[in-house]
Amino acid sequence: MEPTKDEITRAAGYFHEANQLLAQRFNYSLVAHSMALTAYATCIGFGSANNPIVAALVAFFGAYYSIVQFIITHPLSKRIDALRAAYLMKDDVYLVYKNAVGGNRPRGVQSVHVPFVLFFCWALLFVYALVASFRLGLPF
């Protein structure tokens, strides 16, 4: 059964709002990771001998937040994909817009790839901070 014009219009509204929410969550996440990275660099680069332990805690938080970012954004991205497939792909205007640049763009960059890359980076920084604390003879 084909969706009505009213259903497509409603779906386009949900689609727009969901895309805005995904962008806001992604931008907030990048700001949070940037602030954590600044804290990490400050702890590793300056100050007292206890700073590698604090840096390890910051890196642990960054890795944890990467997991939270995935948990929050991935279901939203799936909902966006469901709206697109069920309603918008049946709208001629949307198809013109979508096909103007050659069709599909890769999905999951914001909701899957970025959180996993950030998690991997934070895990490396955590290990680096642990190694730095062991070199200084700090108990961890």
Side-chain angles (χ1 to χ4, degrees):
M1 182 174 170
E2 291 294 312
T4 65
K5 288 292 182 191
D6 181 54
E7 290 173 330
I8 291 174
T9 302
R10 286 181 29 224
Y14 287 123
F15 181 82
H16 173 73
E17 294 300 322
N19 267 329
Q20 291 297 317
L21 182 59
L22 181 63
Q24 290 171 358
R25 288 180 177 173
F26 187 74
N27 290 336
Y28 170 78
S29 172
L30 290 182
V31 169
H33 282 290
S34 298
M35 290 175 17
L37 186 58
T38 301
Y40 180 90
T42 302
C43 290
I44 288 294
F46 300 106
S48 70
N50 289 331
N51 282 348
I53 294 173
V54 176
L57 291 173
V58 171
F60 179 79
F61 166 77
Y64 169 77
Y65 192 70
S66 298
I67 294 168
V68 169
Q69 179 184 359
F70 172 77
I71 290 170
I72 289 173
T73 60
H74 188 64
L76 181 58
S77 181
K78 289 291 189 181
R79 289 182 186 110
I80 291 169
D81 290 342
L83 279 174
R84 181 183 296 115
Y87 294 98
L88 298 179
M89 294 301 289
K90 296 174 174 82
D91 182 40
D92 294 334
V93 174
Y94 179 77
L95 288 175
V96 168
Y97 167 77
K98 182 182 164 292
N99 292 326
V101 292
N104 289 332
R105 63 181 172 91
R107 293 296 301 158
V109 172
Q110 292 177 334
S111 64
V112 177
H113 298 112
V114 171
F116 280 121
V117 168
L118 286 170
F119 178 83
F120 180 72
C121 291
W122 282 117
L124 287 176
L125 292 174
F126 180 77
V127 170
Y128 181 81
L130 288 181
V131 168
S133 68
F134 287 132
R135 283 189 179 170
L136 293 172
L138 300 173
F140 195 79

